[in-house]
Amino acid sequence: MWSTYRWVSLAAVLLFAAGGSTGLSAEEAKVRSVAPGAEVRLAVLGSMKSNCTPNPPPDVRVSGEIAEGLVRIAAAKMTTSRFPNCPDAELPVKVVFYKASSTASGSDTVKLEIEEYSGKVREQRYDIRIEEEATR
């Protein structure tokens, strides 16, 4: 089941910093490539306090129209050793996926509204390239 993923490491989806998560400003879009009918992971969102206590996962909402596919947001737990002072830290995260329709071609845009546990709201944009020979 998608909501029970257990992540062993964070491979470079989003970097986490002690005290809060980091991300791009609304002006900077992340680019992802996907084949028609395929699914791609857009983001893993979560954060941890400096005392190794996890923050609650952020609220994530799609804030714009999606033309060529669907977005799926799953709750998960991730285990990471990314923080030297917090080995094998486990934290709750939200994982965002995009699945292109089987007849999709061209491009699509996904805009997310992310509300952190502190109440801070930010927008993140993903430009999706739908290509037969997409890099996975």
Side-chain angles (χ1 to χ4, degrees):
M1 169 153 255
W2 290 107
S3 62
T4 58
Y5 272 130
R6 184 161 180 90
W7 299 88
V8 176
S9 65
L10 180 61
V13 179
L14 283 181
L15 298 176
F16 293 99
S21 64
T22 63
L24 300 175
S25 67
E27 297 81 37
E28 299 177 61
K30 297 280 280 178
V31 177
R32 297 286 190 267
S33 295
V34 64
E39 184 172 69
V40 64
R41 184 178 61 211
L42 299 181
V44 176
L45 303 165
S47 63
M48 176 176 287
K49 296 177 182 136
S50 59
N51 68 357
C52 300
T53 304
N55 290 315
D59 289 330
V60 182
R61 293 174 288 286
V62 177
S63 64
E65 292 293 318
I66 300 169
E68 299 288 339
L70 300 171
V71 170
R72 181 169 58 87
I73 302 168
K77 288 198 180 209
M78 181 183 80
T79 302
T80 180
S81 295
R82 184 175 236 7
F83 309 107
N85 295 334
C86 308
D88 298 322
E90 186 173 284
L91 60 152
V93 296
K94 294 283 178 83
V95 186
V96 182
F97 299 91
Y98 173 87
K99 183 173 184 177
S101 73
S102 59
T103 59
S105 64
S107 63
D108 205 351
T109 300
V110 175
K111 291 181 183 175
L112 300 176
E113 185 178 282
I114 302 162
E115 183 176 352
E116 301 292 342
Y117 76 98
S118 64
K120 178 183 173 188
V121 178
R122 64 185 172 92
E123 187 174 273
Q124 177 62 59
R125 188 179 90 219
Y126 293 87
D127 291 334
I128 311 295
R129 294 182 184 150
I130 303 165
E131 309 166 331
E132 284 295 328
E133 302 287 326
T135 307
R136 297 186 191 252

